[in-house]
Amino acid sequence: MKLTPRIKSWIESFGVHVALSDEKGQITIIVAERTSVDEDVVTIDLSEQQRNQIEEILLKNDYVALAPGQLGAIRAPYQLKGSARLLNGYLEVEISEIYCTKPGPEAGIRLDVLGYDDMKHYDESRWTDLAPVNPS
Amino acid sequence: MGLLTNEIKDALKVVGKGGSVVHLATSSIDGKPNIVAERFVTSYLDDYILIADMFAQKTKVNLNENPQASISIAHPIGSHAWVFRGPATVINIGAVSTEKWYDINVGQVLAEWGDWAAKEPPLEVPPDIAPPKVAQRGLIVLKVEEIISSELENSGNKIA
């Protein structure tokens, strides 16, 4: 599912926290600062240390969960899930599930099943990000 | 001596007085991870992190079948690049007060943190972020058994 412009912007601005699970269900989190989005693919620039940390886990379980980092954790409360692979030093995640995690009655709603247009409307109608003020 | 230093305890209280923002990650038993930002967080004793259970769904399903979790600092400034890992559980508001989980006395922890919004109102939260009603159902508790670095060049290295 293609990500909305708003989700894309928050992820590219503030990076993501990536959760992985090994065969024993033990959870690893890595914090990535440099991230780009193209349609439904999130590409994460990893350090060598991070690649080494997750390489073996991914061989056994390539399903990962992402959440926007820094201020995005609050202003863009979404969770993205999908299959990941290491490619040329980057982690590429093809997003197949998108959930709202905003605290409240809508927490946990799955958004990708709405279709792109309705998901975009949902995203834009619930947040009041300030537009830049142009000098007059 | 617990694993949580005063520096870590202070960092978990960054936002106003209501705690920092963290990411809580759990996993189903078949390996499907889940990661959610959490706003109501604090340290407890010297080895525990508490998160208010407001609207947790998949997190609680996961903890029921796989009682372990990891927590990262959402905005790891400077050296505050930590991931906390260990066993985790949910203590519901109605839990029997005489029960214990590791060193935690259920009655005591609920008496102190069972009404988070009254104890530390999230006054700094803007209206479009704040939940319509802060309805706490319990506490998610992580016993910190391992602290791992999330710094780019030291990611995965054990700190404590």
Side-chain angles (χ1 to χ4, degrees):
Chain A
M1 169 60 71
K2 178 181 169 184
L3 303 189
T4 68
R6 196 175 167 278
I7 297 176
K8 170 183 161 76
S9 178
W10 278 100
I11 286 178
E12 290 186 337
S13 299
F14 293 105
V16 291
H17 289 226
V18 185
L20 306 95
S21 177
D22 69 12
E23 72 276 16
K24 294 176 184 169
Q26 189 174 56
I27 303 114
T28 293
I29 301 176
I30 59 168
V31 179
E33 297 172 358
R34 295 180 296 276
T35 309
S36 63
V37 176
D38 182 18
E39 301 274 321
D40 62 344
V41 175
V42 178
T43 301
I44 301 162
D45 189 1
L46 302 177
S47 67
E48 185 179 353
Q49 184 83 5
Q50 287 175 321
R51 286 195 293 278
N52 294 336
Q53 187 184 356
I54 66 173
E55 199 167 16
E56 274 193 35
I57 301 171
L58 282 175
L59 288 175
K60 293 172 181 167
N61 180 14
D62 68 355
Y63 212 74
V64 304
L66 315 178
Q70 301 182 35
L71 192 56
I74 295 297
R75 299 295 314 180
Y78 295 106
Q79 177 178 204
L80 319 173
K81 296 186 182 186
S83 295
R85 63 174 181 161
L86 283 170
L87 190 67
N88 300 324
Y90 294 86
L91 183 68
E92 274 193 3
V93 186
E94 188 174 341
I95 303 301
S96 54
E97 299 175 52
I98 302 172
Y99 296 89
C100 174
T101 58
K102 180 181 179 180
E106 293 182 323
I109 287 181
R110 185 170 175 179
L111 299 176
D112 56 283
V113 296
L114 300 177
Y116 177 75
D117 289 340
D118 285 347
M119 182 173 73
K120 185 168 177 284
H121 174 72
Y122 179 99
D123 183 30
E124 292 171 353
S125 67
R126 279 158 178 77
W127 299 98
T128 53
D129 296 335
L130 297 177
V133 178
N134 294 311
S136 54
Chain B
M1 183 70 180
L3 291 183
L4 300 181
T5 63
N6 288 336
E7 183 188 11
I8 293 172
K9 291 176 181 177
D10 289 344
L12 289 170
K13 305 293 287 181
V14 167
V15 181
K17 292 183 177 178
S20 184
V21 178
V22 298
H23 282 103
L24 169 64
T26 58
S27 171
S28 65
I29 198 71
D30 62 355
K32 196 167 179 180
N34 195 75
I35 183 165
V36 182
E38 301 283 356
R39 157 67 182 74
F40 294 88
V41 58
T42 187
S43 61
Y44 188 73
L45 303 178
D46 287 329
D47 286 305
Y48 298 87
I49 296 174
L50 306 181
I51 291 172
D53 169 20
M54 300 286 187
F55 300 97
Q57 297 177 54
K58 189 64 180 171
T59 294
K60 290 199 283 192
V61 172
N62 285 348
L63 288 178
N64 275 333
E65 61 185 39
N66 178 26
Q68 50 188 331
S70 290
I71 290 173
S72 58
I73 304 285
H75 196 170
I77 297 170
S79 62
H80 296 175
W82 303 300
V83 173
F84 308 96
R85 191 151 73 178
T89 193
V90 178
I91 298 176
N92 292 308
I93 291 293
V96 176
S97 63
T98 53
E99 286 185 355
K100 286 194 79 174
W101 187 74
Y102 292 96
D103 304 314
I104 288 189
N105 178 297
V106 166
Q108 283 178 7
V109 76
L110 285 176
E112 189 173 354
W113 290 101
D115 190 355
W116 211 302
K119 185 180 175 78
E120 294 186 345
L123 302 176
E124 85 288 359
V125 181
D128 67 334
I129 295 177
K133 184 181 179 187
V134 181
Q136 187 174 352
R137 298 166 180 169
L139 295 165
I140 298 165
V141 187
L142 173 80
K143 182 177 189 297
V144 179
E145 291 190 340
E146 215 176 4
I147 303 175
I148 297 158
S149 173
S150 65
E151 282 182 325
L152 287 178
E153 303 310 324
N154 294 303
S155 188
N157 288 351
K158 188 170 176 175
I159 296 172

